[in-house]
Amino acid sequence: MTDILEVTDLHVAVEGTEILKGVDLTLQQGEVHALMGPNGSGKSTMSYAIAGHPHYEVTSGDILWNGESILGLDADERAKLGIFLAFQYPVAIPGVSFANFLRAAVSSVRGYKERARAEAGGGNKVIGSELMPMREFRQELLAKMDRFDVDRTFARRYLNDGFSGGEKKRGEVLQMAMLEPKIAILDESDSGLDIDALRIVSEGINKLVADGMGALLITHYQRILNYVKPDKVSVFYQGRIVKTGGPEIAHMLDERGYAWVEEELAQALA
Amino acid sequence: MTVQTQVFNTISGAAVQATSERFQEPEWLRLARAAAWENFEATPWPSYKEETWRRTRLTGFKLQQFPLAISEAAGSTRRQDLPAEYLSTLNQIDSAGALVFEDGRLIYAELNSEFRDKGVVFTDLRTALQTHDELVRAHFSALVPARENKFAALHYALWQNGTFLYVPKHVVVEKPFQVLVHLSAGKAAMHHTLALADENSEMTLVEDFTGAVDGMSDTVAEITPMAASRVHYLRLQNLDNTAWNFATMRTAAQRDSLYRQLQASWGSRLSKVWIDLEMEGPGSHGELLGLYFPQGRQHIDHHTNQNHKCERATSDLLFKGALNDRSRSVYQGIIRVWPGAQKTDAYQKNDNLILSAGARADSIPGLEIEADDVRCTHGATSAKVQDEYLFYLMARGLDRKTAKRMIVQGFFQEVLNRVPVPGVRTKLELEIARRVGLE
Ligand SMILES: Nc1ncnc2c1ncn2[C@@H]1O[C@H](COP(=O)(O)OP(=O)(O)O)[C@@H](O)[C@H]1O
Ligand SMILES: [Mg+2]
């Protein structure tokens, strides 16, 4: 079965101000959809709303997972469905090691907790039984660190604490690889990367897409699209998607900038 | 009950004398007790006008309501006959020796014979008074005088027993010495800790305080790391949440010594804890670590002092606390650098994590510097668990509770990483996990 995420006429307000003004979007597994738009147009707001950030209030419209609304679900429940958000600005959490955190996250998403509960039958729970076995987890983590070109020292470091911009983005890709989402929203995973890091991050995304992940690739620049080939490109402008087409749109934007979009919009309104 | 027993278990001048008589104490100790009692009576009750008491009120505390916990003769038990909870605590640590006290009565003692043969003394203070009279007399009350504060005066007037640890010159004991102090309900108890690390020796002392339901604990600890010694002192205050807790501690670090102390303040309804670190010898290094995690209406007050009296000493303090419900913490700390204490390097940091809108943490750092070639840094932070942190973890599939627990545990990690005894570290982690679970 192919999982599908649909956003329909989505309006989102932050602290009383409407930021998203009717977004429509469909994304399915195996598909790459690039979303380009100027700073402040609401791309991150949309990402947060899909991931379930409580500060982002959906005032109308819907977010559907295989046809069912997920607006009532908390962020963790959405993650368990298979939705992943690679953050534009991942936060640093001192004292929490990357490996411990990831083991807890993977265990939760893969249902170890529910299984442990069912096995315990409501009785005494064994400490650690809600987690993926350490050895298995380590093996998989090390294999994926190698496959996704992430340094093995990441495991012991505190989550994003003291990470460079590039390390943070690579950390997000590693998390994504471990959590194996059905649909990932990559919020500017390419910004601030040098060419080597960009290549590594792009290859990571390509591998996961090849494995069946759907990706919403939010970006400012056409640059990453040289590495990750989108099926569709949309232009995001002032809180909505104003144009959708093929890769040629990205080239137009690159050549003519967002002024082109503004002109087109003005013409359409005239 | 005879009239006499009723007298010596009240907090009174008669009890002071009765205690001396009961234990047939030497003259110097009788005099010290009597003087301490005088001092206690002459010292006014704490008032909010004193800086150290400004934020900690003893409302509802009635000293006279507590009968004194009086220690009877030492009764020795075999390890396997100890109550299960003591045994499980003892088993958490691979130790070089252990003492178990109940209301000042030593009920169990063990010491690895290898260290006994090397001259290590690890016993209760009562026994040490008999066997090592001179050593006790030379050091008892030498660091913390009775006039230190009203509770220290009370302690010296009425103390019953305590920990005595002496490690001779050049003797290195890597495994910790472990002490359990259990206090029964509703009483006043005064445990004294006297630890001496002779030149170039090494010791680790772990003291665990439990019990005192609706009771009161009034302790004094005096720790002396002599020249080039290495001393770790870990104090785990696990008293019941209804206990009143007062503690006065001082460490005098001699030349080239290394000292590290951990104060974990988990229990008590109210704690007033003074921790003084005296840097007395050049080349010495001292660290003070603190943990607290009050809940309900617990009130935890730490007052620290990093006192640099000599040149070329370094000190480093890190106190971290998370606060739940309507709890309150006070941290007051001062770094004092005496004239001539050049090349001092002193650091002090207090971080608070506020987990509930009703909780409050006060942090009052201070510096008094009278030398010019020094480096002193201090800082305090107070923050809530940020929604952005929670959202990040939840977006990875962790439920809210697990996410919050991780963040709080992460917050304490900086201190836990520096706890030198793995068994204690595990125990602290469990206590933190337990407290995060309570919401
Ligand atoms: N948490 C917030 N509080 C207030 N305003 C916000 C918040 N998040 C986003 N905004 C506002 O919403 C608009 C869209 O921001 P954002 O979604 O970050 O855009 P983009 O990701 O496209 O650059 C901006 O005007 C921004 O100032
Ligand atoms: Mg953005």
Side-chain angles (χ1 to χ4, degrees):
Chain A
M1 168 180 153
T2 305
D3 289 301
I4 300 180
L5 177 75
E6 278 170 285
V7 175
T8 58
D9 192 28
L10 189 70
H11 291 252
V12 168
V14 185
E15 285 160 16
T17 308
E18 182 166 79
I19 309 286
L20 298 191
K21 297 165 183 167
V23 177
D24 288 287
L25 179 85
T26 304
L27 186 67
Q28 58 180 356
Q29 281 192 271
E31 182 186 38
V32 177
H33 189 152
L35 191 68
M36 306 180 74
N39 258 332
S41 59
K43 303 182 298 296
S44 293
T45 301
M46 185 189 70
S47 312
Y48 284 139
I50 294 172
H53 195 306
H55 291 185
Y56 293 74
E57 189 201 347
V58 174
T59 50
S60 68
D62 213 340
I63 304 172
L64 307 169
W65 182 258
N66 297 329
E68 280 189 47
S69 176
I70 57 168
L71 290 182
L73 301 185
D74 282 340
D76 56 321
E77 296 166 310
R78 299 186 196 192
K80 286 184 190 173
L81 289 179
I83 298 172
F84 181 91
L85 169 61
F87 283 64
Q88 182 176 3
Y89 303 110
V91 294
I93 307 191
V96 175
S97 82
F98 204 98
N100 280 347
F101 149 71
L102 204 47
R103 184 172 169 219
V106 167
S107 304
S108 172
V109 164
R110 295 190 193 170
Y112 279 86
K113 197 169 191 166
E114 284 74 7
R115 248 174 282 160
R117 295 249 162 94
E119 278 163 24
N124 282 348
K125 61 174 185 190
V126 184
I127 291 175
S129 67
E130 298 188 344
L131 292 174
M132 180 175 178
M134 192 54 172
R135 178 192 287 269
E136 246 176 77
F137 171 75
R138 267 191 65 81
Q139 272 177 358
E140 183 177 333
L141 180 64
L142 291 176
K144 287 194 171 158
M145 284 175 142
D146 293 348
R147 179 162 184 238
F148 291 86
D149 225 334
V150 172
D151 199 278
R152 286 188 171 201
T153 56
F154 264 56
R156 272 179 285 113
R157 292 172 69 185
Y158 292 148
L159 193 52
N160 299 322
D161 191 30
F163 281 32
S164 70
E167 284 175 329
K168 283 184 190 167
K169 302 277 156 114
R170 287 156 77 160
E172 295 290 288
V173 171
L174 178 63
Q175 291 179 41
M176 183 164 70
M178 289 296 290
L179 292 168
E180 300 173 327
K182 306 291 193 336
I183 299 282
I185 301 155
L186 296 130
D187 193 359
E188 298 203 24
S189 295
D190 57 334
S191 50
L193 299 186
D194 62 32
I195 200 75
D196 285 334
L198 179 66
R199 188 182 46 75
I200 290 168
V201 164
S202 304
E203 281 173 5
I205 297 169
N206 285 334
K207 284 173 189 170
L208 292 167
V209 169
D211 292 346
M213 185 183 81
L216 183 66
L217 202 61
I218 296 174
T219 180
H220 248 343
Y221 312 103
Q222 200 266 335
R223 198 173 65 142
I224 191 172
L225 304 181
N226 295 330
Y227 298 90
V228 183
K229 293 294 173 202
D231 301 297
K232 275 191 253 174
V233 178
S234 289
V235 179
F236 204 86
Y237 193 74
Q238 292 184 347
R240 59 170 74 92
I241 288 173
V242 293
K243 206 172 177 58
T244 299
E248 74 285 351
I249 289 191
H251 292 288
M252 284 288 272
L253 276 180
D254 223 33
E255 277 167 31
R256 303 176 53 184
Y258 289 101
W260 163 65
V261 179
E262 273 171 54
E263 280 163 30
E264 285 217 339
L265 277 177
Q267 276 172 13
L269 287 174
Chain B
M1 282 270 159
T2 64
V3 174
Q4 203 191 358
T5 40
Q6 279 173 15
V7 168
F8 72 71
N9 72 4
T10 58
I11 290 178
S12 63
V16 173
Q17 209 182 345
T19 305
S20 281
E21 274 160 24
R22 208 169 116 78
F23 294 111
Q24 297 175 355
E25 288 179 338
E27 187 65 10
W28 69 266
L29 196 50
R30 283 170 191 263
L31 293 174
R33 275 193 199 277
W37 179 256
E38 251 177 58
N39 205 308
F40 170 73
E41 291 208 300
T43 308
W45 194 248
S47 143
Y48 67 92
K49 288 176 190 149
E50 293 170 73
E51 185 57 30
T52 191
W53 288 104
R54 264 172 58 109
R55 293 161 191 85
T56 296
R57 307 275 170 90
L58 298 177
T59 315
F61 177 68
K62 291 192 189 63
L63 187 58
Q64 296 305 331
Q65 86 184 36
F66 305 104
L68 205 55
I70 48 174
S71 70
E72 290 154 33
S76 63
T77 312
R78 288 177 308 170
R79 185 164 176 132
Q80 64 266 35
D81 296 335
L82 284 170
E85 47 299 5
Y86 298 167
L87 208 50
S88 83
T89 306
L90 288 182
N91 290 340
Q92 283 159 355
I93 297 177
D94 180 17
S95 66
L99 302 175
V100 179
F101 292 91
E102 260 181 355
D103 290 338
R105 190 165 72 102
L106 180 70
I107 62 164
Y108 176 71
E110 68 173 48
L111 174 61
N112 186 317
S113 59
E114 178 197 340
F115 300 119
R116 186 194 310 271
D117 295 345
K118 285 181 175 166
V120 169
V121 185
F122 182 48
T123 184
D124 68 317
L125 203 46
R126 286 264 152 241
T127 306
L129 269 169
Q130 312 283 328
T131 58
H132 296 79
D133 171 46
E134 295 208 348
L135 210 49
V136 175
R137 190 170 172 177
H139 292 277
F140 183 80
S141 195
L143 294 184
V144 178
R147 64 170 186 282
E148 184 78 21
N149 59 57
K150 191 162 176 84
F151 288 94
L154 180 66
H155 172 95
Y156 282 112
L158 287 167
W159 70 275
Q160 302 278 309
N161 209 347
T163 302
F164 182 82
L165 174 59
Y166 171 74
V167 176
K169 283 182 189 173
H170 311 301
V171 174
V172 171
V173 186
E174 278 172 11
K175 287 183 185 178
F177 296 96
Q178 199 181 3
V179 178
L180 304 192
V181 180
H182 182 79
L183 309 174
S184 59
K187 294 184 178 159
M190 288 107 182
H191 190 88
H192 194 92
T193 302
L194 191 56
L196 311 165
D198 214 330
E199 290 175 20
N200 195 32
S201 69
E202 182 171 323
M203 65 153 75
T204 297
L205 175 62
V206 181
E207 288 193 301
D208 209 319
F209 293 81
T210 60
V213 176
D214 290 319
M216 156 190 168
S217 169
D218 178 17
T219 58
V220 168
E222 302 179 282
I223 316 286
T224 304
M226 295 186 205
S229 64
R230 294 164 300 284
V231 175
H232 295 153
Y233 179 36
L234 288 74
R235 221 175 131 102
L236 314 178
Q237 188 269 92
N238 284 308
L239 295 173
D240 189 80
N241 281 3
T242 56
W244 298 88
N245 176 46
F246 306 92
T248 309
M249 303 178 226
R250 180 164 292 130
T251 298
Q254 309 299 319
R255 181 178 54 78
D256 295 323
S257 62
L258 175 83
Y259 179 68
R260 180 178 286 171
Q261 176 173 342
L262 167 78
Q263 169 70 28
S265 294
W266 301 135
S268 79
R269 66 187 285 172
L270 178 142
S271 270
K272 178 75 195 174
V273 178
W274 291 275
I275 301 175
D276 270 34
L277 177 59
E278 310 280 329
M279 306 312 292
E280 295 197 336
S284 55
H285 175 72
E287 292 182 29
L288 298 178
L289 300 173
L291 294 171
Y292 47 96
F293 197 159
Q295 58 197 27
R297 306 204 63 167
Q298 282 185 283
H299 180 115
I300 304 291
D301 177 334
H302 293 106
H303 192 154
T304 69
N305 190 354
Q306 291 154 270
N307 209 356
H308 283 259
K309 298 176 169 174
C310 64
E311 55 174 26
R312 284 192 302 105
T314 56
S315 70
D316 184 354
L317 176 145
L318 178 63
F319 269 60
K320 286 198 153 215
L323 295 94
N324 246 329
D325 307 324
R326 299 189 62 194
S327 65
R328 174 104 195 257
S329 73
V330 178
Y331 171 79
Q332 219 173 139
I334 193 149
I335 296 174
R336 275 200 188 83
V337 181
W338 288 30
Q342 304 297 10
K343 308 282 183 207
T344 287
D345 190 336
Y347 183 79
Q348 179 202 85
K349 191 155 187 275
N350 173 227
D351 293 328
N352 294 290
L353 191 59
I354 313 291
L355 301 178
S356 150
R360 179 171 155 190
D362 285 336
S363 198
I364 307 104
L367 294 175
E368 268 177 35
I369 301 177
E370 296 186 67
D372 48 25
D373 183 14
V374 302
R375 192 169 72 177
C376 295
T377 320
H378 67 165
T381 65
S382 181
K384 293 190 283 189
V385 172
Q386 290 181 24
D387 289 344
E388 295 311 314
Y389 286 26
L390 277 178
F391 175 63
Y392 185 73
L393 298 184
M394 287 177 72
R396 299 296 179 251
L398 302 182
D399 60 57
R400 180 174 298 276
K401 213 167 160 181
T402 308
K404 197 164 175 183
R405 199 188 68 218
M406 277 213 154
I407 292 166
V408 177
Q409 285 176 319
F411 168 79
F412 284 117
Q413 201 58 46
E414 195 183 358
V415 173
L416 295 176
N417 285 345
R418 290 166 63 180
V419 173
V421 180
V424 171
R425 203 181 308 140
T426 307
K427 195 173 150 122
L428 296 171
E429 280 166 357
L430 286 173
E431 183 59 32
I432 290 167
R434 202 177 68 76
R435 287 185 176 245
V436 187
L438 286 172
E439 281 176 44

